Amino acid sequence: QKIPGNALVYDDNFPFSPLSKFGNGFLNRLECARIPSPILEGVTFVDTPGVLSGEKQRLKRGYDFEEVIHWFIEHAAMIILFFDAHKLDISDEFKRCITVVSGCQSKVQILLNKADRMTTQQLMRVHGALMWALGKVLGTPEVARVYVGSFWDEPVESHELASLFEAEKSDLYSQIEQLPRSSTVQKMNDLSKRARLAKAHALLLEHLRTSMPSVWGHAEKQEELLTMLPGVYLEVSRRHGAPLGDFPDPEHMKSILATQDFACFTKLDPAKMERLEVLLSKDIPGLLKLIPPDALY
């Protein structure tokens, strides 16, 4: 059964109604396929279109590809990045998508496909090049695990690493098989992450609001705070004990704050902050204790 995008977002049986905000340009290209399979009873696979290179090709999509990818990343339990062993070039669009993924590295799995088409020596070089390239894009020395093998319809060619390819495929299938059992823990993890981010965001806006002068010099003070935003992060972190890792990217935050009037920010509500602390310190740990042990790993 195939369900077109415009019908899919209005079907209450699926969690895709928020996708309607991306408009017809995207919905006309979205399609859902329902297939009777025991695997799909607990897992939904989302196959995204391949990334393109060149700004003109990107605009021809008719919708904001990176925004759509960002939505799926936030709601996915696992993100699989496919790389062809014969073609490792990472386009500008793919780099931007990977940068979005970098905030959810625990969900990322990397597949190096068609590895059976290369010699062992070539494969070692390609694997090293891939790790180096991803390290630069993700901006971290710690890169997600890379599954090496043949993950397409063609039969596996005879290779001295054939047993390794089978073991890699088995490991990946095991990870996917565990997703339904671990989804509850993932939701708790996402809830905790969002709560910490909300706390840091609220503390930052309150600091900016209270730092504004009461009479004159608003524009100058606001410009000063924007220029010193990384230092403001340090001060808020030290004063309230909020980890620096919970604050948004300074450059991205600057671009958003530049259009705002700090003096007009809503005053921080201590009661809401107290409830947020209770959520983080008591409610989430209490919910985790209710999860069966076999669903934790």
Side-chain angles (χ1 to χ4, degrees):
Q1 179 189 7
K2 291 186 178 180
I3 306 174
N6 279 288
L8 180 66
V9 295
Y10 292 106
D11 192 329
D12 293 336
N13 295 316
F14 299 96
F16 300 118
S17 56
L19 291 174
S20 60
K21 67 181 179 181
F22 297 114
N24 283 325
F26 168 68
L27 296 179
N28 289 336
R29 294 166 174 81
L30 175 66
E31 190 175 71
C32 172
R34 301 185 70 182
I35 302 171
S37 168
I39 296 176
L40 297 178
E41 290 178 3
V43 176
T44 298
F45 289 93
V46 178
D47 183 19
T48 63
V51 294
L52 305 172
S53 58
E55 193 67 18
K56 291 182 180 180
Q57 288 176 304
R58 174 173 173 264
L59 293 175
K60 285 182 180 178
R61 290 189 187 276
Y63 62 92
D64 192 327
F65 179 68
E66 292 155 44
E67 282 295 319
V68 173
I69 290 294
H70 186 269
W71 187 91
F72 279 108
I73 285 172
E74 285 191 331
H75 294 82
M78 177 185 289
I79 303 162
I80 302 177
L81 302 179
F82 275 85
F83 289 90
D84 192 325
H86 295 274
K87 189 171 58 178
L88 287 183
D89 56 308
I90 302 177
S91 67
D92 292 339
E93 187 179 56
F94 199 12
K95 285 181 182 178
R96 292 192 291 266
C97 292
I98 295 176
T99 301
V100 176
V101 171
S102 63
C104 306
Q105 291 186 22
S106 61
K107 300 180 180 181
V108 176
Q109 309 290 336
I110 299 168
L111 266 61
L112 185 58
N113 197 19
K114 305 178 185 177
D116 57 325
R117 268 46 177 183
M118 314 189 80
T119 66
T120 302
Q121 186 178 29
Q122 290 173 330
L123 188 56
M124 290 179 64
R125 292 174 180 169
V126 168
H127 183 275
L130 176 61
M131 298 295 281
W132 180 81
L134 286 174
K136 288 184 64 179
V137 176
L138 293 173
T140 173
E142 300 176 1
V143 180
R145 173 175 174 181
V146 178
Y147 293 88
V148 181
S150 180
F151 302 94
W152 61 327
D153 295 335
E154 296 295 321
V156 180
E157 291 189 358
S158 178
H159 200 285
E160 60 183 318
L161 296 178
S163 60
L164 171 65
F165 296 159
E166 284 301 316
E168 291 283 273
K169 184 181 292 187
S170 178
D171 285 352
L172 177 63
Y173 289 171
S174 296
Q175 288 284 339
I176 295 174
E177 187 181 30
Q178 292 172 11
L179 288 178
R181 295 197 298 269
S182 61
S183 63
T184 304
V185 179
Q186 184 63 52
K187 290 174 182 177
M188 289 295 101
N189 181 70
D190 291 343
L191 175 60
S192 175
K193 178 182 177 181
R194 292 180 69 86
R196 292 196 311 270
L197 293 176
K199 176 182 176 181
H201 188 83
L203 292 173
L204 172 64
L205 296 190
E206 177 67 6
H207 179 86
L208 295 176
R209 185 187 70 83
T210 56
S211 297
M212 296 297 290
S214 56
V215 182
W216 56 75
H218 282 219
E220 294 79 2
K221 184 62 178 179
Q222 184 156 320
E223 183 63 31
E224 177 188 339
L225 290 169
L226 281 174
T227 304
M228 300 175 59
L229 194 58
V232 173
Y233 282 10
L234 286 171
E235 184 176 349
V236 176
S237 173
R238 184 175 60 251
R239 182 177 299 179
H240 299 282
L244 280 174
D246 290 347
F247 289 86
D249 176 71
E251 293 304 318
H252 178 65
M253 196 62 179
K254 278 183 184 180
S255 65
I256 297 175
L257 291 173
T259 61
Q260 306 297 317
D261 183 352
F262 297 176
C264 294
F265 287 159
T266 303
K267 185 178 180 181
L268 190 68
D269 188 333
K272 290 182 179 179
M273 291 298 291
E274 179 63 27
R275 289 199 293 270
L276 188 59
E277 288 292 345
V278 171
L279 173 68
L280 288 167
S281 61
K282 296 182 180 179
D283 293 345
I284 292 179
L287 289 172
L288 286 172
K289 291 179 180 178
L290 300 176
I291 300 174
D294 61 343
L296 295 173
Y297 305 101

